[in-house]
Amino acid sequence: MPVTTDSSRRRRSALVIVESPAKARTISQYLGDDYVVESSIGHVRDLPSTAAEIPAKVKKEKWARLGVDVDHDFTPLYIVPANKKAQVTKLKDLLKNADEVYLATDEDREGEAIAWHLREVLKPRVPVHRMVFHEITQPAIEAALAAPRDIDAELVEAQEARRILDRLYGYEVSPVLWKKVRPRLSAGRVQSAALRLVVQRERARMRFVAAGFWDIDALLATREAASADTEAPRVPSRLVEVGGQRVASGRDFDAATGELATDSTALLLDEAAAGDLAKTLEGATFTVTSVTERPYTQRPPAPFITSTLQQEAGRKLRFTAQRTMRTAQSLYENGYITYMRTDSTNLSTEAVGAARSQVQGLYGADYLPDAPRVYRGSSKGAQEAHEAIRPAGAEFRTPESLRATLDDDQYRLYDLIWKRTVAGQMRDAAGLRTNVRIEAPAGDRGVATFTTSGKVITFPGFLRAYVEGTDDPDAELEDQERVLPPLAEGQQLDPVEVEARGHETQPPARYTEASLVRELEELGIGRPSTYASIIGTIQDRGYVHRRGTTLVPNFVAFAVIRLLEEHFPELVDFEFTARMETRLDAVAAGELDSRPWLRAFYFGDQPGPEDDDYVADVGIGLQGKIAGGWEVIDAREVSSIPLGLDDEGREVAVRVGRYGPYVQAGNSDLRASIPEDFDPDEISLERALEFLREAELGDRVLGHDPDTSLPIYVKTGRFGPYVQLGEDDSNGGKPRRGSLWPHMSMETLSLDDALLILSFPRVLGQHPETGADVTVQDGPNGPYIKSGTDSRSLTDHDHLASVTLEEAVRILAEPRPRGRGAATPSVLAQIGEHPVTKLPLTVRKGRFGPYVTDGVVNASLPQGRDPEKVTLDDAIELIAAREQRLRDQGQDPRAPKPARKRSSGSRSGSRRRSA
């Protein structure tokens, strides 16, 4: 009988496949040696994103560019991208030694689709199980292993239908934008609707006309305290009525005209009237006419769902939606929180018990309600039901216990989730609101009525743990606790200070990421897993940029949305977009067959079942709409934003050109570039005419340089007015240029001013210690001094002109300030080798912050992430996420980059708005 040795025995095991290396690492901690856990690093199969990826056998098919065979039941063409082939090979090799396979991807449509694609690509001959869980903890993993299920075909169909729908929309509509607005633009079913919201808000700001109004604030004191020889408590109050007529406030004005609304009966006080009334009231006796006290209770907010987490992290932590989701993903994959893509506020019995236990232990029995709180209901069009986002496990770990384990972003987000979850199982807050009306004689105007209010918290309840943020800081401030002294009807008060105050109406606030997520959710556009990518896409595509925390569209976005609104209105209709989501939800629930619906969407109404679900949402269908005469679209018209008429009756408009936005009067040859740092709501008719006047002054010769005898021109460009020495070099060389300084204007610019600008950069001398030149120069971020690789900012341009060598040496010797300008080597950290591409991974310093790169693909680090703490798994995930985003944009992430062309215009001076 032969002896079987250890070396001849081949061990068999179960293969568990997840999406990410971090998730694989965490799950492997809970499984024994009989399990091999490996990641797919995201999707292993997708529609082709470039022509090079289309298989040769179908390249000549008319539908090949779409990647969807629209003539044969909308069959998708799936390919394994080149950058995933090595990982697929690795998984197939691991599969050879496996007795069974567990597909442990996320429990949503995307995760279900990844599991299905893995099965289709790997074609395992061993049993395949779908393993799902909502948190990565030992009990959850064991329970998932004990109760696997089959792949949910309906969820897969819903995800596939979404992918096909978005491909048809993007690949059919985007070429119209290329031809009529600008090359390489993109349209998207959800992205375009979100962009329309942002553009509509900016249009409202552009139409807005500010209005001024006045009211009176009075600081009053009680007489009782004064008679007792103690400092009288102060009572702040504001004028609301004069002679029985309500005083106008911001809500009474028409935002488009700046005038009082036609239906308003309010009294409009100007500065003179308010000032006279204030003087009259300075010597008046104020009498309390009514005191109303009402108790109130405040319930804790529901536990987080995806959208509310993104909103609250934006408000409280200043996180972008993408930063929030990246951080939440890492917390989930490392076993700290439950699944972060959910629209359910429900908590498991286990979670409720854990939260109540911590309330009892941390705050005491007084803060624990008699019965557990149950949260029901979810967002509009909720899809797969999960538990709310909460700390993982049957016993919640406190944030402090994890401080040494989590990085800064993870700690702050976990702290927010923990507080919200625990607060949700605490008693209501209780308090007392007091509203007081106070009157005073106002001479021939009758009686002036003032009001004040107070708020006292009598029992903090859940507020001990958590206070919800708001998108309106003024409202948040007004809701704070304010204690009033005891006041009674008939009580008399004396004025301490009476002041007339002027106010100006404010335009509608721009969207922040938080408020845009809320709006999308309310409209039913997108789903929890898509909010961050929607907002990221409209920024990545260059349609929107951030100004502080707000989202600002550029002029190209205006042109794109105008074209879509006027020629494809259904495609950016909010109800249409929400209907698409509802149809996809019905597919996921097994209530709708996706193919007849896709057919109606693309080809128009089709003979078939009399069912609204299969009636085309786009009339003649998307294909017919695109083919029905896009050529007649007036490119000039859709790319124009009319501002008004000039003195000659010509229409002055902003237009989107090949080299950027510009203003033009009628069809004249005179046009002026709009500086890059101008936002659309800052462009008025008056400002546009000023740009045109500056353009008329452009190419004016101020004089000649005394050293070279070359002419010195004043010009305008993309970054504002600038001066130039000599002519443009016909060989492509650039003459010396410099932007005008903040206090300079084109009209008054002198030759001496121009010579001063052109005298920089200037060598002050040599550094006494290093011997290197010390230079002073004006850069894109303002004036600065530099010696070797060391640099320091200067306070302003006057300092630029006056700084001496001795002063510069002293400034360079001072410690470098933290933040912008800090010296950092190009390579911040060496990480290791990518397991698939075998390329070295490094963290480097970039113009817009640190990023990880393999030499081909660059991926920005999340804000706040320490570059020296980036692990190999972190780098792999960031690179994979960046590759997927590029693929979603129709780009090959590993295609050679074209050489960059230098743009013309003033680059040497500081970028600023024209004086």
Side-chain angles (χ1 to χ4, degrees), residues 298 300-301 304 312 315-316 416 419-420 423 429 455 457 460-470 476 479-480:
Q298 183 179 351
F304 281 130
E312 194 72 341
R315 299 184 193 112
K316 286 184 174 290
L416 195 67
K419 286 177 177 176
R420 178 96 162 207
K455 177 183 176 184
I457 298 173
F462 75 91
L463 296 175
R464 280 285 305 277
Y466 182 80
V467 179
E468 189 172 25
T470 174
E476 187 173 17
D479 200 44
Q480 299 301 308

PDB file of all heavy atoms in Angstrom, residues 298 300-301 304 312 315-316 416 419-420 423 429 455 457 460-470 476 479-480:
ATOM      1  N   GLN A 298     -38.379  68.077  21.825  1.00  0.00           N
ATOM      2  CA  GLN A 298     -37.617  67.862  20.594  1.00  0.00           C
ATOM      3  C   GLN A 298     -37.152  66.420  20.554  1.00  0.00           C
ATOM      4  O   GLN A 298     -36.464  65.954  21.460  1.00  0.00           O
ATOM      5  CB  GLN A 298     -36.421  68.818  20.545  1.00  0.00           C
ATOM      6  CG  GLN A 298     -35.608  68.723  19.268  1.00  0.00           C
ATOM      7  CD  GLN A 298     -34.462  69.712  19.255  1.00  0.00           C
ATOM      8  OE1 GLN A 298     -34.362  70.589  20.122  1.00  0.00           O
ATOM      9  NE2 GLN A 298     -33.557  69.574  18.287  1.00  0.00           N
ATOM     10  N   PRO A 300     -35.102  63.148  19.079  1.00  0.00           N
ATOM     11  CA  PRO A 300     -33.792  62.952  18.430  1.00  0.00           C
ATOM     12  C   PRO A 300     -33.970  62.589  16.970  1.00  0.00           C
ATOM     13  O   PRO A 300     -34.978  61.992  16.582  1.00  0.00           O
ATOM     14  CB  PRO A 300     -33.174  61.799  19.223  1.00  0.00           C
ATOM     15  CG  PRO A 300     -34.338  61.054  19.798  1.00  0.00           C
ATOM     16  CD  PRO A 300     -35.384  62.086  20.073  1.00  0.00           C
ATOM     17  N   PRO A 301     -33.002  62.959  16.121  1.00  0.00           N
ATOM     18  CA  PRO A 301     -33.086  62.578  14.703  1.00  0.00           C
ATOM     19  C   PRO A 301     -32.885  61.075  14.552  1.00  0.00           C
ATOM     20  O   PRO A 301     -32.277  60.416  15.410  1.00  0.00           O
ATOM     21  CB  PRO A 301     -31.941  63.361  14.064  1.00  0.00           C
ATOM     22  CG  PRO A 301     -30.961  63.586  15.172  1.00  0.00           C
ATOM     23  CD  PRO A 301     -31.774  63.728  16.420  1.00  0.00           C
ATOM     24  N   PHE A 304     -28.460  57.420  11.040  1.00  0.00           N
ATOM     25  CA  PHE A 304     -28.017  57.838   9.710  1.00  0.00           C
ATOM     26  C   PHE A 304     -28.409  56.840   8.633  1.00  0.00           C
ATOM     27  O   PHE A 304     -28.301  55.618   8.809  1.00  0.00           O
ATOM     28  CB  PHE A 304     -26.496  57.974   9.678  1.00  0.00           C
ATOM     29  CG  PHE A 304     -25.984  59.255  10.277  1.00  0.00           C
ATOM     30  CD1 PHE A 304     -24.971  59.216  11.225  1.00  0.00           C
ATOM     31  CD2 PHE A 304     -26.487  60.482   9.890  1.00  0.00           C
ATOM     32  CE1 PHE A 304     -24.478  60.381  11.772  1.00  0.00           C
ATOM     33  CE2 PHE A 304     -26.006  61.655  10.430  1.00  0.00           C
ATOM     34  CZ  PHE A 304     -24.994  61.611  11.377  1.00  0.00           C
ATOM     35  N   GLU A 312     -24.733  65.525   6.995  1.00  0.00           N
ATOM     36  CA  GLU A 312     -24.247  65.932   8.314  1.00  0.00           C
ATOM     37  C   GLU A 312     -22.725  65.988   8.359  1.00  0.00           C
ATOM     38  O   GLU A 312     -22.151  66.873   9.005  1.00  0.00           O
ATOM     39  CB  GLU A 312     -24.775  64.959   9.378  1.00  0.00           C
ATOM     40  CG  GLU A 312     -24.634  65.456  10.798  1.00  0.00           C
ATOM     41  CD  GLU A 312     -25.601  66.581  11.150  1.00  0.00           C
ATOM     42  OE1 GLU A 312     -26.136  67.238  10.240  1.00  0.00           O
ATOM     43  OE2 GLU A 312     -25.798  66.816  12.345  1.00  0.00           O
ATOM     44  N   ARG A 315     -21.843  69.276   6.867  1.00  0.00           N
ATOM     45  CA  ARG A 315     -22.087  70.421   7.750  1.00  0.00           C
ATOM     46  C   ARG A 315     -21.097  70.473   8.899  1.00  0.00           C
ATOM     47  O   ARG A 315     -20.502  71.508   9.196  1.00  0.00           O
ATOM     48  CB  ARG A 315     -23.502  70.337   8.324  1.00  0.00           C
ATOM     49  CG  ARG A 315     -24.629  70.377   7.334  1.00  0.00           C
ATOM     50  CD  ARG A 315     -25.970  70.375   8.065  1.00  0.00           C
ATOM     51  NE  ARG A 315     -27.077  70.117   7.168  1.00  0.00           N
ATOM     52  CZ  ARG A 315     -27.812  69.006   7.189  1.00  0.00           C
ATOM     53  NH1 ARG A 315     -27.528  68.044   8.057  1.00  0.00           N
ATOM     54  NH2 ARG A 315     -28.805  68.848   6.356  1.00  0.00           N
ATOM     55  N   LYS A 316     -20.948  69.358   9.594  1.00  0.00           N
ATOM     56  CA  LYS A 316     -20.174  69.351  10.835  1.00  0.00           C
ATOM     57  C   LYS A 316     -18.676  69.137  10.616  1.00  0.00           C
ATOM     58  O   LYS A 316     -17.857  69.697  11.344  1.00  0.00           O
ATOM     59  CB  LYS A 316     -20.720  68.270  11.775  1.00  0.00           C
ATOM     60  CG  LYS A 316     -22.055  68.614  12.433  1.00  0.00           C
ATOM     61  CD  LYS A 316     -22.453  67.526  13.413  1.00  0.00           C
ATOM     62  CE  LYS A 316     -23.693  67.916  14.190  1.00  0.00           C
ATOM     63  NZ  LYS A 316     -23.462  69.008  15.144  1.00  0.00           N
ATOM     64  N   LEU A 416     -19.197  60.771  14.892  1.00  0.00           N
ATOM     65  CA  LEU A 416     -20.485  61.311  14.461  1.00  0.00           C
ATOM     66  C   LEU A 416     -21.537  60.201  14.406  1.00  0.00           C
ATOM     67  O   LEU A 416     -22.671  60.374  14.885  1.00  0.00           O
ATOM     68  CB  LEU A 416     -20.312  61.950  13.086  1.00  0.00           C
ATOM     69  CG  LEU A 416     -21.413  62.883  12.587  1.00  0.00           C
ATOM     70  CD1 LEU A 416     -21.481  64.143  13.433  1.00  0.00           C
ATOM     71  CD2 LEU A 416     -21.173  63.249  11.124  1.00  0.00           C
ATOM     72  N   LYS A 419     -22.418  58.941  18.037  1.00  0.00           N
ATOM     73  CA  LYS A 419     -23.260  59.900  18.772  1.00  0.00           C
ATOM     74  C   LYS A 419     -24.694  59.881  18.254  1.00  0.00           C
ATOM     75  O   LYS A 419     -25.645  59.919  19.029  1.00  0.00           O
ATOM     76  CB  LYS A 419     -22.681  61.305  18.661  1.00  0.00           C
ATOM     77  CG  LYS A 419     -21.437  61.536  19.508  1.00  0.00           C
ATOM     78  CD  LYS A 419     -20.879  62.925  19.298  1.00  0.00           C
ATOM     79  CE  LYS A 419     -19.676  63.179  20.201  1.00  0.00           C
ATOM     80  NZ  LYS A 419     -19.050  64.509  19.928  1.00  0.00           N
ATOM     81  N   ARG A 420     -24.845  59.857  16.933  1.00  0.00           N
ATOM     82  CA  ARG A 420     -26.194  59.876  16.344  1.00  0.00           C
ATOM     83  C   ARG A 420     -26.958  58.613  16.730  1.00  0.00           C
ATOM     84  O   ARG A 420     -28.157  58.675  17.016  1.00  0.00           O
ATOM     85  CB  ARG A 420     -26.081  59.992  14.830  1.00  0.00           C
ATOM     86  CG  ARG A 420     -27.405  59.972  14.084  1.00  0.00           C
ATOM     87  CD  ARG A 420     -27.891  61.354  13.799  1.00  0.00           C
ATOM     88  NE  ARG A 420     -28.899  61.340  12.750  1.00  0.00           N
ATOM     89  CZ  ARG A 420     -29.162  62.338  11.925  1.00  0.00           C
ATOM     90  NH1 ARG A 420     -28.506  63.470  12.040  1.00  0.00           N
ATOM     91  NH2 ARG A 420     -30.092  62.253  11.007  1.00  0.00           N
ATOM     92  N   ALA A 423     -27.764  58.778  20.581  1.00  0.00           N
ATOM     93  CA  ALA A 423     -28.762  59.822  20.830  1.00  0.00           C
ATOM     94  C   ALA A 423     -30.151  59.366  20.407  1.00  0.00           C
ATOM     95  O   ALA A 423     -31.152  59.745  21.032  1.00  0.00           O
ATOM     96  CB  ALA A 423     -28.380  61.097  20.090  1.00  0.00           C
ATOM     97  N   ALA A 429     -35.571  65.984  24.301  1.00  0.00           N
ATOM     98  CA  ALA A 429     -35.204  67.217  24.994  1.00  0.00           C
ATOM     99  C   ALA A 429     -36.489  67.999  25.266  1.00  0.00           C
ATOM    100  O   ALA A 429     -37.454  67.925  24.500  1.00  0.00           O
ATOM    101  CB  ALA A 429     -34.249  68.040  24.139  1.00  0.00           C
ATOM    102  N   LYS A 455     -35.578  81.089  24.801  1.00  0.00           N
ATOM    103  CA  LYS A 455     -35.683  79.634  24.766  1.00  0.00           C
ATOM    104  C   LYS A 455     -34.855  79.071  25.901  1.00  0.00           C
ATOM    105  O   LYS A 455     -33.663  79.388  26.022  1.00  0.00           O
ATOM    106  CB  LYS A 455     -35.189  79.090  23.426  1.00  0.00           C
ATOM    107  CG  LYS A 455     -35.196  77.573  23.330  1.00  0.00           C
ATOM    108  CD  LYS A 455     -34.611  77.122  21.990  1.00  0.00           C
ATOM    109  CE  LYS A 455     -34.529  75.610  21.914  1.00  0.00           C
ATOM    110  NZ  LYS A 455     -33.889  75.145  20.677  1.00  0.00           N
ATOM    111  N   ILE A 457     -33.850  75.442  27.853  1.00  0.00           N
ATOM    112  CA  ILE A 457     -33.880  73.976  27.868  1.00  0.00           C
ATOM    113  C   ILE A 457     -34.041  73.516  29.318  1.00  0.00           C
ATOM    114  O   ILE A 457     -33.178  73.778  30.161  1.00  0.00           O
ATOM    115  CB  ILE A 457     -32.596  73.399  27.250  1.00  0.00           C
ATOM    116  CG1 ILE A 457     -32.484  73.819  25.778  1.00  0.00           C
ATOM    117  CG2 ILE A 457     -32.570  71.879  27.378  1.00  0.00           C
ATOM    118  CD1 ILE A 457     -31.170  73.448  25.131  1.00  0.00           C
ATOM    119  N   PRO A 460     -32.128  68.404  28.879  1.00  0.00           N
ATOM    120  CA  PRO A 460     -31.399  68.287  27.611  1.00  0.00           C
ATOM    121  C   PRO A 460     -31.675  67.008  26.846  1.00  0.00           C
ATOM    122  O   PRO A 460     -31.548  66.973  25.617  1.00  0.00           O
ATOM    123  CB  PRO A 460     -29.934  68.380  28.037  1.00  0.00           C
ATOM    124  CG  PRO A 460     -29.916  67.950  29.463  1.00  0.00           C
ATOM    125  CD  PRO A 460     -31.228  68.403  30.045  1.00  0.00           C
ATOM    126  N   GLY A 461     -32.013  65.922  27.522  1.00  0.00           N
ATOM    127  CA  GLY A 461     -32.286  64.675  26.824  1.00  0.00           C
ATOM    128  C   GLY A 461     -31.169  64.284  25.885  1.00  0.00           C
ATOM    129  O   GLY A 461     -29.984  64.318  26.236  1.00  0.00           O
ATOM    130  N   PHE A 462     -31.533  63.957  24.640  1.00  0.00           N
ATOM    131  CA  PHE A 462     -30.541  63.484  23.661  1.00  0.00           C
ATOM    132  C   PHE A 462     -29.513  64.543  23.314  1.00  0.00           C
ATOM    133  O   PHE A 462     -28.441  64.222  22.780  1.00  0.00           O
ATOM    134  CB  PHE A 462     -31.255  63.002  22.393  1.00  0.00           C
ATOM    135  CG  PHE A 462     -31.763  64.110  21.523  1.00  0.00           C
ATOM    136  CD1 PHE A 462     -30.983  64.635  20.501  1.00  0.00           C
ATOM    137  CD2 PHE A 462     -33.029  64.646  21.721  1.00  0.00           C
ATOM    138  CE1 PHE A 462     -31.442  65.662  19.705  1.00  0.00           C
ATOM    139  CE2 PHE A 462     -33.496  65.676  20.928  1.00  0.00           C
ATOM    140  CZ  PHE A 462     -32.702  66.186  19.922  1.00  0.00           C
ATOM    141  N   LEU A 463     -29.818  65.832  23.584  1.00  0.00           N
ATOM    142  CA  LEU A 463     -28.863  66.901  23.262  1.00  0.00           C
ATOM    143  C   LEU A 463     -27.576  66.758  24.052  1.00  0.00           C
ATOM    144  O   LEU A 463     -26.558  67.351  23.686  1.00  0.00           O
ATOM    145  CB  LEU A 463     -29.490  68.270  23.521  1.00  0.00           C
ATOM    146  CG  LEU A 463     -30.699  68.627  22.636  1.00  0.00           C
ATOM    147  CD1 LEU A 463     -31.298  69.947  23.083  1.00  0.00           C
ATOM    148  CD2 LEU A 463     -30.304  68.680  21.164  1.00  0.00           C
ATOM    149  N   ARG A 464     -27.602  65.987  25.143  1.00  0.00           N
ATOM    150  CA  ARG A 464     -26.366  65.720  25.868  1.00  0.00           C
ATOM    151  C   ARG A 464     -25.370  64.992  24.976  1.00  0.00           C
ATOM    152  O   ARG A 464     -24.148  65.125  25.141  1.00  0.00           O
ATOM    153  CB  ARG A 464     -26.660  64.846  27.100  1.00  0.00           C
ATOM    154  CG  ARG A 464     -27.201  65.556  28.308  1.00  0.00           C
ATOM    155  CD  ARG A 464     -26.129  66.351  29.056  1.00  0.00           C
ATOM    156  NE  ARG A 464     -24.981  65.537  29.441  1.00  0.00           N
ATOM    157  CZ  ARG A 464     -24.924  64.771  30.527  1.00  0.00           C
ATOM    158  NH1 ARG A 464     -25.971  64.694  31.342  1.00  0.00           N
ATOM    159  NH2 ARG A 464     -23.845  64.081  30.810  1.00  0.00           N
ATOM    160  N   ALA A 465     -25.885  64.225  24.015  1.00  0.00           N
ATOM    161  CA  ALA A 465     -25.005  63.419  23.163  1.00  0.00           C
ATOM    162  C   ALA A 465     -24.824  64.005  21.776  1.00  0.00           C
ATOM    163  O   ALA A 465     -23.758  63.876  21.174  1.00  0.00           O
ATOM    164  CB  ALA A 465     -25.556  61.996  23.035  1.00  0.00           C
ATOM    165  N   TYR A 466     -25.860  64.683  21.255  1.00  0.00           N
ATOM    166  CA  TYR A 466     -25.799  65.023  19.831  1.00  0.00           C
ATOM    167  C   TYR A 466     -26.719  66.188  19.512  1.00  0.00           C
ATOM    168  O   TYR A 466     -27.872  66.230  19.950  1.00  0.00           O
ATOM    169  CB  TYR A 466     -26.235  63.800  19.012  1.00  0.00           C
ATOM    170  CG  TYR A 466     -26.178  64.000  17.519  1.00  0.00           C
ATOM    171  CD1 TYR A 466     -24.968  63.888  16.841  1.00  0.00           C
ATOM    172  CD2 TYR A 466     -27.325  64.307  16.798  1.00  0.00           C
ATOM    173  CE1 TYR A 466     -24.915  64.076  15.469  1.00  0.00           C
ATOM    174  CE2 TYR A 466     -27.274  64.488  15.432  1.00  0.00           C
ATOM    175  CZ  TYR A 466     -26.060  64.371  14.773  1.00  0.00           C
ATOM    176  OH  TYR A 466     -25.999  64.562  13.417  1.00  0.00           O
ATOM    177  N   VAL A 467     -26.202  67.141  18.732  1.00  0.00           N
ATOM    178  CA  VAL A 467     -26.992  68.256  18.212  1.00  0.00           C
ATOM    179  C   VAL A 467     -26.877  68.228  16.697  1.00  0.00           C
ATOM    180  O   VAL A 467     -25.769  68.260  16.159  1.00  0.00           O
ATOM    181  CB  VAL A 467     -26.495  69.613  18.756  1.00  0.00           C
ATOM    182  CG1 VAL A 467     -27.321  70.751  18.163  1.00  0.00           C
ATOM    183  CG2 VAL A 467     -26.561  69.636  20.273  1.00  0.00           C
ATOM    184  N   GLU A 468     -28.012  68.159  16.020  1.00  0.00           N
ATOM    185  CA  GLU A 468     -28.008  68.064  14.565  1.00  0.00           C
ATOM    186  C   GLU A 468     -27.653  69.405  13.939  1.00  0.00           C
ATOM    187  O   GLU A 468     -28.028  70.466  14.439  1.00  0.00           O
ATOM    188  CB  GLU A 468     -29.382  67.613  14.058  1.00  0.00           C
ATOM    189  CG  GLU A 468     -29.397  67.282  12.568  1.00  0.00           C
ATOM    190  CD  GLU A 468     -30.711  66.663  12.125  1.00  0.00           C
ATOM    191  OE1 GLU A 468     -31.738  66.912  12.781  1.00  0.00           O
ATOM    192  OE2 GLU A 468     -30.702  65.934  11.128  1.00  0.00           O
ATOM    193  N   GLY A 469     -26.911  69.357  12.828  1.00  0.00           N
ATOM    194  CA  GLY A 469     -26.526  70.567  12.119  1.00  0.00           C
ATOM    195  C   GLY A 469     -27.634  71.047  11.203  1.00  0.00           C
ATOM    196  O   GLY A 469     -28.683  70.415  11.050  1.00  0.00           O
ATOM    197  N   THR A 470     -27.405  72.196  10.569  1.00  0.00           N
ATOM    198  CA  THR A 470     -28.378  72.768   9.647  1.00  0.00           C
ATOM    199  C   THR A 470     -27.627  73.439   8.514  1.00  0.00           C
ATOM    200  O   THR A 470     -26.473  73.837   8.662  1.00  0.00           O
ATOM    201  CB  THR A 470     -29.290  73.785  10.356  1.00  0.00           C
ATOM    202  OG1 THR A 470     -30.126  74.426   9.385  1.00  0.00           O
ATOM    203  CG2 THR A 470     -28.475  74.853  11.064  1.00  0.00           C
ATOM    204  N   GLU A 476     -29.755  78.266  12.687  1.00  0.00           N
ATOM    205  CA  GLU A 476     -29.128  77.497  13.755  1.00  0.00           C
ATOM    206  C   GLU A 476     -28.801  78.405  14.940  1.00  0.00           C
ATOM    207  O   GLU A 476     -28.995  78.040  16.091  1.00  0.00           O
ATOM    208  CB  GLU A 476     -27.856  76.832  13.224  1.00  0.00           C
ATOM    209  CG  GLU A 476     -27.214  75.867  14.212  1.00  0.00           C
ATOM    210  CD  GLU A 476     -26.054  75.118  13.575  1.00  0.00           C
ATOM    211  OE1 GLU A 476     -25.563  75.564  12.529  1.00  0.00           O
ATOM    212  OE2 GLU A 476     -25.644  74.091  14.147  1.00  0.00           O
ATOM    213  N   ASP A 479     -31.829  79.398  16.958  1.00  0.00           N
ATOM    214  CA  ASP A 479     -32.424  78.312  17.721  1.00  0.00           C
ATOM    215  C   ASP A 479     -31.656  77.999  18.996  1.00  0.00           C
ATOM    216  O   ASP A 479     -32.010  77.091  19.733  1.00  0.00           O
ATOM    217  CB  ASP A 479     -32.521  77.048  16.841  1.00  0.00           C
ATOM    218  CG  ASP A 479     -33.551  76.065  17.375  1.00  0.00           C
ATOM    219  OD1 ASP A 479     -34.642  76.520  17.761  1.00  0.00           O
ATOM    220  OD2 ASP A 479     -33.248  74.869  17.423  1.00  0.00           O
ATOM    221  N   GLN A 480     -30.582  78.734  19.242  1.00  0.00           N
ATOM    222  CA  GLN A 480     -29.812  78.475  20.454  1.00  0.00           C
ATOM    223  C   GLN A 480     -30.591  78.948  21.683  1.00  0.00           C
ATOM    224  O   GLN A 480     -31.470  79.798  21.618  1.00  0.00           O
ATOM    225  CB  GLN A 480     -28.461  79.205  20.391  1.00  0.00           C
ATOM    226  CG  GLN A 480     -27.582  78.783  19.235  1.00  0.00           C
ATOM    227  CD  GLN A 480     -27.264  77.308  19.255  1.00  0.00           C
ATOM    228  OE1 GLN A 480     -26.814  76.770  20.252  1.00  0.00           O
ATOM    229  NE2 GLN A 480     -27.524  76.639  18.141  1.00  0.00           N
TER     230      GLN A 480
END
